[in-house]
Amino acid sequence: MIRLSELEKNEECRIVRIFAEDKVRLRLHSLGFIEGERIKRVRVSVLGDPVMYEIDGTYVALRCEEAFLIGIERI
Amino acid sequence: MKKEISHIKEDILKKDSVKIALAGNPNVGKSTIFNALTGLKQHTGNWTGKTVENAQGTFKNNGTTYLLTDTPGTYSLESYSEEESVTRSFLLCGDIEKTIVVCDASKLSRTLKLFLEILQITPKAILCVNLIDEAEKDGISVDITKLSRLLGVKTIATDARRKRGISDLKNALSEENACALEIKYSDKTEEMISRVCNLLDDCGVPKRYVATELLKGNSYIVEKISNLEQIRREVSDLMKKEGISCTEIRDETSRAISVLSKEICDQVIIKKEKKRCITTEKIDSVLAGRIFSVPCMLLFLCLIFYITVTFANYPSAFLSDLFVRAENFLYSCISKTSTPVWINDMLLKGAFRTLGWVVSVMLPPMAIFFPLFTLLEDWGYLPRIAFNLDRCFKKCSSCGKQSLTMCMGFGCNASGVMGARIINTRRERLLAIITNSFVPCNGKFPTMITLITIFFVGAYANNILVALILSGIIIICVLTTLLMTKLLSLTLLKGEKSSFILELPPYRRPQIGKTLVRSLLDRTLLVLSRAIIVSIPAGIIIWCLSNIYIGDVSVIMHISELLDPVGRFFGLDGVLLLAFILGLPANEIVLPIALMAYTSSSSLTESADMLTTHSLLVNNGWTYVTAICFIIFSLFHSPCLTTLLTVKKETGSIRWMLVSALLPTLFGLTLCALVNFIF
């Protein structure tokens, strides 16, 4: 298992585990970050952080701190 | 007789109109639905006990009057942000007959989750599958009849922009329906839920929901429970015995909702062909990309200011002409009555003239700026600004959403302060609120443009050069805002930075006509009405000061003489310092007050043209240093009274209001003193 923050551009993967706690965990859940979901890294912001991901048909931006809290496996 | 009865009936109906709520995820076109249902019969109101303002509107269908209350867009009913808890408590405690939940047809599986959550609270819900046109474009079609059958609720497909399905939605409100869809959890959890259910008394909310929330460890539900202590003990015993934590229950419930939502969607969604939304991706590769994002942001900024500055002149001139005529007319009317002359003068040359000044200077730029801003908002560009700039704000232990409140601050700081509600944590919200006045609002631009033109460009210069210098000044202001945010987060507002999780909605063609009307009604008029409230008393005070004489000299001159040494120290003079103090209610009148004092006239006077203003200022000892200091101080001084009152309302504390007044003032004074000392 690697972390979402290690994903390369345009790479697709599957979420294995959410390490975030409390509120961040809730928000990630409600935005579709759930174990088994596919996620793709789309684009990095001009200043290198945050990164835009495609999940469940929408784009969501996460800072690298939050992306680090998501465990993934490459497909 | 019959007619009378029907009238009475109508009145009764109006009194007990059917209360319905509107809920939905952000970016699903909830407000378009709201507007399509209610038209212009809207007003904002407060929920009892809450400070969050929400829109309410009424509409009639088949003889029934409905009172529709909009709730803030939320992803779920869990307590991540204030909006979510507000929506939840509104649905829980409000005496709502029906709830309309809006979903996005093209992203049904994720937007349906909120609906499933709401069903746990109230079975009387109607599902509105919006943006059906957008889904069709993506090659997605939704089997509405099947969806309705699966959920057991009335389901309506709408395209609110073209008003498709709106009448169906209205008709659906009068139909009886109650859904019995239950989310099934694992056997173990189900058993725990039913055990807690048995302990609970009837409390107006479905027991199953209360039980689940208690097991999840959520405490907002407790006020509904009579025998709380006992139940809490039982719940924690139960969880210990079963060896399950609150987090596990939470995970299970949110996974169960996702799975159910996916299952339902798999059955009702027919994908014709796998077409991907190319437009948004293409636009994003430019506007949020590595090369063009910053130049595009600057371009938009320049363009908005250029349009505002250029096109505001004409209506401004027209309005001020109108006010002069109205003043003359009123004066001739009022002088026929027996009121003393000084009262006539105070009311018309004081209060009315100041009011006219503020309105004619402030209204046109606002009426241009806010619609432009709303167009960008509707298009979907604003979250991209937050995405592009978040790193800067992260370095200052703040949040990228602050950039949006700053953008609003360019229109009006009071709006910017109110806009800070989109920020989730209190610390970061305070940072955004206090530093908001470091970005110059529309009220400061006329003064700035006059000074830039007469001192640095020349009276006959083109607007483009002025707009460029203005943009430069704005960039300096933005950098200062960042600096101040950092400073505050190191001192008064220490704390960990929170998370940044932001959905970037697809670009959508803005509805130009509606945007113009709504932003004019909502933002411009709101801000304007507040400005009017403060400018009338200010006008009276200014008039009194300049018309009450001690010896041969008016009070205003006495005070400015007293202030003169202080003013000189900061590169200004006494008159200017006093003008800033008197101009506290509205930034627009600072320069007019100064001109009034310089010419020793007794009321605000319009300067004939730029050249006259220039020579008047130079004759009163102005140099380039004075001009620079004046620009600096007009950028960085206490925000206007309206903004300060908004800060007090939003933060609920006088202390933060004082901080947001003193911080920019001290910063501006220090900078002025430095500039004056160096040159």
Side-chain angles (χ1 to χ4, degrees):
Chain A
M1 185 175 62
I2 55 165
R3 303 296 178 113
L4 186 59
S5 44
E6 296 165 51
L7 205 64
E8 302 284 326
K9 198 187 170 187
N10 283 330
E11 232 183 333
E12 215 172 336
C13 64
R14 186 176 289 123
I15 296 175
V16 191
R17 205 175 149 187
I18 309 275
F19 294 94
E21 280 169 3
D22 303 331
K23 292 197 163 188
V24 179
R25 190 184 185 89
L26 284 175
R27 168 58 41 117
L28 287 172
H29 272 316
S30 60
L31 276 167
F33 289 82
I34 287 175
E35 285 87 339
E37 194 69 50
R38 279 163 160 258
I39 185 168
K40 184 179 153 191
R41 179 174 166 136
V42 183
R43 161 174 307 112
V44 59
S45 153
V46 60
L47 301 168
D49 189 45
V51 173
M52 211 189 277
Y53 299 94
E54 190 184 340
I55 184 165
D56 207 3
T58 37
Y59 298 116
V60 176
L62 296 181
R63 281 181 183 165
C64 59
E65 285 90 339
E66 274 80 51
F68 183 73
L69 298 174
I70 297 170
I72 51 160
E73 58 178 18
R74 290 203 170 87
I75 308 170
Chain B
M1 185 66 184
K2 233 181 182 177
K3 223 178 176 182
E4 258 184 53
I5 289 174
S6 75
H7 265 293
I8 293 168
K9 219 175 174 184
E10 226 177 78
D11 277 347
I12 293 169
L13 279 175
K14 217 172 202 175
K15 257 179 206 161
D16 30 33
S17 51
V18 179
K19 292 190 182 86
I20 46 179
L22 188 68
N25 281 23
N27 316 313
V28 295
K30 198 162 61 70
S31 53
T32 327
I33 293 269
F34 184 79
N35 291 336
L37 281 175
T38 61
L40 289 174
K41 285 182 196 150
Q42 306 177 2
H43 60 95
T44 50
N46 273 331
W47 291 331
T48 36
K50 298 277 175 196
T51 49
V52 177
E53 278 171 358
N54 67 302
Q56 279 188 329
T58 53
F59 64 92
K60 253 188 181 173
N61 195 43
N62 296 335
T64 318
T65 313
Y66 295 95
L67 177 67
L68 180 66
T69 306
D70 199 8
T71 61
T74 59
Y75 291 105
S76 82
L77 297 178
E78 300 284 354
S79 33
Y80 178 79
S81 66
E82 188 153 347
E83 276 111 52
E84 280 167 18
S85 41
V86 159
T87 306
R88 188 189 52 231
S89 54
F90 183 66
L91 292 175
L92 277 174
C93 74
D95 43 354
I96 304 152
E97 309 259 341
K98 282 247 161 70
T99 308
I100 302 175
V101 186
V102 188
C103 286
D104 178 348
S106 58
K107 299 179 184 72
L108 194 59
S109 71
R110 68 188 290 122
T111 49
L112 193 64
K113 290 195 283 186
L114 179 71
F115 179 74
L116 295 175
E117 266 187 76
I118 288 176
L119 272 188
Q120 309 307 305
I121 296 183
T122 166
K124 285 191 238 164
I126 292 173
L127 181 63
C128 166
V129 182
N130 195 25
L131 298 167
I132 208 92
D133 54 321
E134 211 170 88
E136 272 162 21
K137 262 187 218 156
D138 292 352
I140 296 168
S141 71
V142 184
D143 187 342
I144 297 291
T145 344
K146 199 173 181 187
L147 180 60
S148 175
R149 205 178 60 234
L150 285 174
L151 293 170
V153 298
K154 195 80 194 161
T155 306
I156 313 287
T158 56
D159 170 7
R161 289 165 148 248
R162 289 180 196 79
K163 299 216 167 178
R164 262 163 62 190
I166 295 297
S167 56
D168 291 345
L169 187 61
K170 282 183 180 172
N171 290 333
L173 285 169
S174 53
E175 284 173 36
E176 275 302 316
N177 80 341
C179 159
L181 188 83
E182 254 180 19
I183 299 167
K184 287 273 172 284
Y185 307 115
S186 68
D187 291 346
K188 205 175 181 183
T189 317
E190 282 296 335
E191 204 202 308
M192 285 167 75
I193 290 174
S194 69
R195 276 214 206 159
V196 180
C197 275
N198 288 335
L199 300 170
L200 288 168
D201 297 326
D202 206 20
C203 59
V205 181
K207 279 184 187 176
R208 190 182 158 83
Y209 175 72
V210 178
T212 321
E213 293 306 297
L214 283 172
L215 288 171
K216 275 155 104 180
N218 290 338
S219 54
Y220 50 77
I221 203 88
V222 295
E223 56 205 58
K224 300 258 175 197
I225 302 165
S226 45
N227 48 343
L228 181 65
E229 274 310 304
Q230 186 204 343
I231 286 180
R232 272 211 169 140
R233 227 174 16 246
E234 299 270 358
V235 168
S236 68
D237 283 354
L238 199 61
M239 298 189 79
K240 242 179 241 160
K241 209 176 86 194
E242 300 282 346
I244 285 181
S245 70
C246 291
T247 318
E248 280 170 280
I249 301 269
R250 275 187 194 171
D251 283 5
E252 194 189 332
T253 51
S254 54
R255 198 174 306 130
I257 288 178
S258 299
V259 169
L260 182 62
S261 170
K262 278 236 159 70
E263 273 174 13
I264 292 170
C265 290
D266 284 345
Q267 295 182 57
V268 298
I269 283 179
I270 306 143
K271 275 196 181 167
K272 282 170 195 146
E273 64 216 85
K274 175 91 180 162
K275 258 201 287 183
R276 287 174 47 84
C277 182
I278 301 291
T279 357
T280 294
E281 224 174 277
K282 271 190 181 159
I283 299 175
D284 262 351
S285 69
V286 177
L287 295 184
R290 299 213 84 159
I291 304 165
F292 292 109
S293 59
V294 174
C296 284
M297 262 188 322
L298 294 177
L299 189 73
F300 280 131
L301 189 75
C302 263
L303 207 64
I304 285 187
F305 286 123
Y306 180 70
I307 295 172
T308 311
V309 167
T310 316
F311 291 100
N313 280 336
Y314 307 103
S316 271
F318 173 74
L319 276 177
S320 81
D321 188 49
L322 204 69
F323 271 103
V324 169
R325 281 182 202 197
E327 191 190 311
N328 291 339
F329 174 72
L330 286 175
Y331 203 87
S332 66
C333 288
I334 208 170
S335 54
K336 286 180 195 138
T337 61
S338 56
T339 44
V341 177
W342 68 268
I343 288 190
N344 296 348
D345 274 8
M346 186 172 79
L347 288 178
L348 286 170
K349 290 189 175 165
F352 189 78
R353 193 173 284 189
T354 312
L355 171 75
W357 200 291
V358 171
V359 170
S360 60
V361 173
M362 188 175 177
L363 183 61
M366 292 245 286
I368 296 171
F369 179 89
F370 276 127
L372 287 176
F373 186 75
T374 319
L375 282 181
L376 282 186
E377 193 180 358
D378 273 12
W379 185 39
Y381 181 59
L382 296 191
R384 271 78 187 180
I385 298 181
F387 174 73
N388 289 338
L389 294 176
D390 178 64
R391 183 120 200 222
C392 309
F393 290 95
K394 184 175 142 188
K395 285 246 161 83
C396 307
S397 316
S398 176
C399 160
K401 288 181 194 166
Q402 193 181 335
S403 58
L404 305 187
T405 67
M406 282 165 67
C407 289
M408 287 178 85
F410 284 123
C412 166
N413 289 136
S415 299
V417 169
M418 270 191 279
R421 284 174 189 169
I422 56 166
I423 297 169
N424 293 320
T425 63
R426 182 172 163 79
R427 190 185 71 85
E428 286 169 9
R429 231 177 84 192
L430 279 172
L431 282 175
I433 287 175
I434 293 167
T435 55
N436 196 275
S437 58
F438 280 94
V439 293
C441 71
N442 258 328
K444 294 178 184 176
F445 285 124
T447 308
M448 218 107 72
I449 291 163
T450 312
L451 286 179
I452 290 170
T453 315
I454 58 182
F455 275 95
F456 302 102
V457 180
Y460 301 106
N462 52 4
N463 281 345
I464 295 172
L465 192 58
V466 178
L468 277 178
I469 295 181
L470 208 56
S471 300
I473 289 178
I474 285 157
I475 290 165
I476 293 171
C477 289
V478 170
L479 293 177
T480 318
T481 311
L482 284 169
L483 184 78
M484 284 299 140
T485 311
K486 179 85 197 163
L487 204 75
L488 275 172
S489 64
L490 286 175
T491 52
L492 282 175
L493 286 164
K494 269 186 205 157
E496 278 297 297
K497 61 176 183 291
S498 74
S499 60
F500 178 77
I501 305 168
L502 185 70
E503 190 191 353
L504 300 144
Y507 290 97
R508 294 191 177 122
R509 195 168 47 83
Q511 297 170 284
I512 294 171
K514 279 193 188 134
T515 304
L516 293 181
V517 175
R518 283 248 65 87
S519 68
L520 204 67
L521 286 178
D522 294 347
R523 284 180 175 151
T524 315
L525 288 188
L526 179 80
V527 172
L528 191 71
S529 63
R530 291 188 182 177
I532 289 171
I533 293 166
V534 290
S535 69
I536 289 176
I540 293 177
I541 293 171
I542 293 164
W543 186 88
C544 289
L545 287 180
S546 52
N547 285 280
I548 297 172
Y549 284 81
I550 301 172
D552 314 330
V553 187
S554 65
V555 175
I556 206 168
M557 289 326 246
H558 274 299
I559 301 176
S560 61
E561 240 163 69
L562 273 176
L563 287 175
D564 204 54
V566 187
R568 298 259 172 232
F569 179 75
F570 296 112
L572 304 165
D573 59 34
V575 170
L576 292 174
L577 213 55
L578 186 63
F580 275 113
I581 295 169
L582 291 176
L584 188 68
N587 284 310
E588 294 83 352
I589 52 173
V590 171
L591 195 60
I593 294 174
L595 293 179
M596 172 186 89
Y598 281 143
T599 51
S600 316
S601 54
S602 58
S603 54
L604 296 182
T605 35
E606 181 133 38
S607 55
D609 59 55
M610 296 261 183
L611 282 176
T612 339
T613 315
H614 184 227
S615 55
L616 177 68
L617 293 177
V618 171
N619 286 342
N620 278 283
W622 273 52
T623 58
Y624 283 100
V625 179
T626 327
I628 291 173
C629 285
F630 186 82
I631 289 177
I632 290 173
F633 197 58
S634 60
L635 287 174
F636 307 121
H637 68 275
S638 168
C640 69
L641 213 55
T642 317
T643 308
L644 286 178
L645 292 176
T646 315
V647 171
K648 187 178 164 279
K649 197 178 145 218
E650 293 291 312
T651 59
S653 97
I654 293 180
R655 188 174 149 232
W656 291 120
M657 186 185 88
L658 288 177
V659 172
S660 63
L662 287 177
L663 186 71
T665 313
L666 290 178
F667 179 75
L669 286 177
T670 318
L671 217 59
C672 284
L674 273 176
V675 167
N676 190 34
F677 183 71
I678 291 167
F679 294 103

